[in-house]
Amino acid sequence: KTYLLVDLLNIADYTQSVKEMSYILHNLCHLALYQQIMRAPQDAPSTYIENLEYRFFVQGFAQYLAWNTSHEQYVFQNPNYAKKKERAFLLLEKAIQVKDVALQHEILKQLDHASLWDRFPEIAGMFFLDDVNRIFGEDGIVDFYQQGMQHCLSRIFEN
């Protein structure tokens, strides 16, 4: 069985508003659900690059889909997000180029414990999906999903 454990005290640290707490809890539940759905058809990553692809594709999709009830409410084009987007893609591009196995291991270890905005592969995936949706609509999202996780980073960075 899969369980979702929620630390309500942690959520309360973000806000005193019950309405905002409910919003956070709602999004966390959706995120956990999307992670389960996205994880199921994907092979477990076995290499460093596959791990980055998994985080970009699966976690990026889960973050994007869980962000709000409708993509029309997303504000990722807001200038406040521009630096977060640029940073996520820059770090991802640099991470892809890392050849040292010890450093690769350390990057993955840090990602496991990082705050949301520091988990650059999934944040880049979330922003990428938002761009795809804005340019190509839902058909673009479906097409990207159908192309699958394998080699998704090389497809993106080569284009």
Side-chain angles (χ1 to χ4, degrees), residues 147-158:
Q147 289 179 38
M149 177 180 78
Q150 190 174 26
H151 307 296
C152 66
L153 294 178
S154 61
R155 289 193 311 262
I156 291 164
F157 282 102
E158 288 174 4

Side-chain angles (χ1 to χ4, degrees), residues 105-148:
H105 178 73
E106 186 61 30
I107 290 169
L108 296 178
K109 183 177 160 186
Q110 292 296 322
L111 286 172
D112 287 337
H113 303 289
S115 66
L116 173 64
W117 294 108
D118 290 330
R119 295 191 308 253
F120 60 87
E122 70 187 80
I123 295 304
M126 178 182 72
F127 281 123
F128 176 79
L129 290 166
D130 189 61
D131 287 346
V132 167
N133 186 50
R134 290 185 190 287
I135 296 167
F136 302 107
E138 291 176 7
D139 289 342
I141 298 284
V142 170
D143 183 53
F144 181 69
Y145 178 78
Q146 289 176 338
Q147 289 179 38

Side-chain angles (χ1 to χ4, degrees), residues 2 6 9 19 38 46 92 94 113 128 131 140-141 155:
T2 301
V6 177
L9 292 175
K19 182 178 180 181
M38 292 297 299
S46 59
L92 181 58
K94 286 183 178 184
H113 303 289
F128 176 79
D131 287 346
I141 298 284
R155 289 193 311 262

Side-chain angles (χ1 to χ4, degrees), residues 28-120:
L28 284 174
C29 289
H30 278 119
L31 177 62
L33 174 66
Y34 289 129
Q35 286 172 331
Q36 283 298 114
I37 291 169
M38 292 297 299
R39 198 175 307 158
Q42 306 303 327
D43 293 330
S46 59
T47 68
Y48 171 71
I49 294 296
E50 286 175 0
N51 201 301
L52 292 176
E53 288 177 331
Y54 177 87
R55 290 167 190 261
F56 180 89
F57 190 86
V58 173
Q59 299 297 100
F61 254 110
Q63 284 293 346
Y64 183 70
L65 294 173
W67 197 263
N68 222 324
T69 55
S70 170
H71 62 81
E72 284 102 20
Q73 296 174 329
Y74 290 7
V75 292
F76 294 131
Q77 299 303 313
N78 182 312
N80 296 336
Y81 288 105
K83 288 189 185 219
K84 293 178 186 302
K85 179 179 180 179
E86 183 179 340
R87 180 178 180 268
F89 275 99
L90 180 64
L91 289 173
L92 181 58
E93 186 175 27
K94 286 183 178 184
I96 290 169
Q97 297 171 12
V98 171
K99 301 297 181 212
D100 180 82
V101 176
L103 183 54
Q104 290 175 348
H105 178 73
E106 186 61 30
I107 290 169
L108 296 178
K109 183 177 160 186
Q110 292 296 322
L111 286 172
D112 287 337
H113 303 289
S115 66
L116 173 64
W117 294 108
D118 290 330
R119 295 191 308 253
F120 60 87

